[in-house]
């Protein structure tokens, strides 16, 4: 048999094995969500779906108001994603296409903020939000981290590859700077923008420490906080925890599949020339 065919078949088998291994935790999470907690510690443990899905879902809603929690997280994550992606795109465009004194220093300062651990910022940011009277509010969760250094750098690199000739041509035609940005430049970097949207949504959706510090009212909790409430000192609701975790993965999967093509193109955009 052709060695090339054997090599390709071996590569596919390795990729298939890796995919199966990666999907096993998600399968177990889905199976555990359909059983009672006591059933999960049986011998052998269940490997097929059970019939307790509706009971677990009802308990999750009654004890933790999980439907409201998911809506809270979706609202916070969507608002943060839209605003942060827009700010990152505008800042990246300014650093890439406008010449001004101190541009390199400003970029260095932006990149330097990526080396500051978030734990160092928690106390001063908490004091700032308390002085503003914003504790237990969503604006305190969203606003402090809108200017994302990674997003600014990513979009700057994308705009650097955008042809200056198209921008000058649009200016000659009488287009304003904002119109050039929204109608000419931004559509040309959709792959990188799609990658940024996925990254930004995931980071906010999974954010735990800062919302935990800011939000005190149970009705305002986000998904990570609600999942943490299921872990008690003497009892852990494993079936509810698995069901909540499974529900929490669905929005991330939907966002990824919607922007999958742009995400892959954005990752490969810097590796392919010509």
């Amino acid at each position: 048999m052709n060695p090339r065919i054997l090599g390709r078949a071996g590569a596919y088998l390795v990729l298939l094995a890796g995919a199966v291994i990666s999907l096993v935790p998600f399968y177990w999470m889905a199976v555990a969500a359909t059983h009672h907690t006591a059933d999960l510690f049986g011998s052998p443990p269940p490997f097929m779906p059970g019939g307790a899905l509706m009971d677990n879902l009802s308990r999750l809603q009654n004890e933790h108001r999980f439907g409201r929690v998911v809506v809270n997280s979706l609202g916070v994550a969507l608002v943060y994603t839209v605003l942060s992606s827009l700010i990152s795109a505008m800042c990246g465009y300014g650093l890439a296409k406008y010449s001004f004194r101190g541009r390199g220093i400003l970029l260095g300062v932006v990149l330097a903020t990526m080396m500051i651990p978030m734990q160092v910022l928690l106390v001063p940011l908490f004091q700032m939000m308390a002085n503003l009277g914003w504790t237990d509010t969503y604006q305190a969760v969203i606003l402090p981290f809108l200017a994302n250094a990674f997003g600014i750098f990513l979009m700057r690199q994308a705009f650097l590859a955008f042809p200056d000739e198209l921008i000058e041509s649009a200016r000659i035609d009488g287009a304003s700077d904002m119109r050039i940005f929204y109608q000419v430049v931004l559509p040309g970097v959709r792959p990188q923008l799609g990658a940024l949207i996925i990254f930004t949504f995931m980071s906010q959706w999974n954010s735990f420490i800062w919302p935990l510090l800011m939000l005190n009212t149970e009705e305002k909790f986000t998904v990570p906080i609600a999942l943490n409430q299921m872990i008690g000192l003497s009892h852990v609701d494993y079936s509810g925890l698995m069901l909540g975790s499974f529900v929490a993965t669905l929005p991330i999967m939907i966002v990824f599949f919607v922007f999958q093509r742009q995400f892959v193109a954005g990752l490969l955009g810097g590796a392919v020339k010509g």
Side-chain angles (χ1 to χ4, degrees):
M1 185 176 290
N2 192 327
R4 175 180 287 183
I5 296 178
L6 286 176
R8 183 174 296 179
Y12 281 130
L13 287 176
V14 172
L15 292 174
L16 180 61
V20 171
I21 294 174
S22 300
L23 290 174
V24 165
F26 292 98
Y27 176 75
W28 167 249
M29 181 171 60
V31 169
T34 62
H35 289 271
H36 295 293
T37 298
D39 300 335
L40 303 180
F41 296 94
S43 182
F47 292 100
M48 298 299 294
L53 176 61
M54 298 308 299
D55 291 340
N56 293 336
L57 192 62
S58 176
R59 186 176 71 258
L60 202 65
Q61 176 62 24
N62 293 333
E63 295 182 1
H64 302 281
R65 300 181 182 179
F66 206 73
R68 174 65 179 270
V69 168
V70 172
V71 172
N72 294 343
S73 280
L74 279 176
V76 171
L78 289 175
V79 171
Y80 176 83
T81 299
V82 171
L83 294 179
S84 181
S85 299
L86 182 60
I87 290 174
S88 296
M90 296 178 71
C91 292
Y93 179 68
L95 290 172
K97 295 303 182 182
Y98 287 89
S99 297
F100 54 89
R101 181 178 298 178
R103 183 176 66 171
I105 297 176
L106 181 59
L107 176 62
V109 172
V110 171
L111 295 179
T113 61
M114 298 177 65
M115 297 184 290
I116 302 176
M118 179 182 175
Q119 291 78 3
V120 177
L121 304 175
L122 292 180
V123 173
L125 280 178
F126 182 85
Q127 292 178 340
M128 185 184 300
M129 296 301 107
N131 292 335
L132 292 173
W134 284 3
T135 54
D136 200 27
T137 62
Y138 290 132
Q139 60 261 34
V141 176
I142 296 173
L143 294 180
F145 301 101
L146 283 181
N148 184 279
F150 171 79
I152 293 173
F153 178 73
L154 176 67
M155 297 309 298
R156 173 187 177 271
Q157 296 304 108
F159 289 129
L160 283 176
F162 192 87
D164 293 334
E165 292 79 7
L166 293 178
I167 299 176
E168 294 301 327
S169 176
R171 283 203 179 102
I172 293 174
D173 290 338
S176 63
D177 287 343
M178 294 301 294
R179 185 174 182 183
I180 292 173
F181 174 71
Y182 284 110
Q183 297 185 4
V184 177
V185 181
L186 207 56
V189 295
R190 276 186 296 181
Q192 292 83 356
L193 185 61
L196 177 62
I197 289 173
I198 293 177
F199 172 82
T200 306
F201 183 87
M202 289 180 60
S203 65
Q204 182 59 47
W205 180 265
N206 295 323
S207 180
F208 172 68
I209 296 295
W210 183 244
L212 180 65
L213 291 175
M214 283 292 99
L215 301 178
N216 304 319
T217 306
E218 187 174 354
E219 292 183 353
K220 297 181 180 180
F221 282 174
T222 56
V223 168
I225 302 177
L227 293 178
N228 183 67
Q229 298 296 313
M230 301 179 193
I231 304 176
L233 295 177
S234 59
H235 173 72
V236 179
D237 183 7
Y238 286 103
S239 59
L241 189 61
M242 292 297 103
L243 179 57
S245 300
F246 181 76
V247 173
T249 61
L250 295 180
I252 296 178
M253 294 174 63
I254 292 173
V255 170
F256 177 78
F257 284 123
V258 170
F259 295 97
Q260 180 182 13
R261 178 176 292 179
Q262 288 84 356
F263 179 68
V264 175
L267 293 179
L268 298 178
V272 180
K273 300 294 183 181

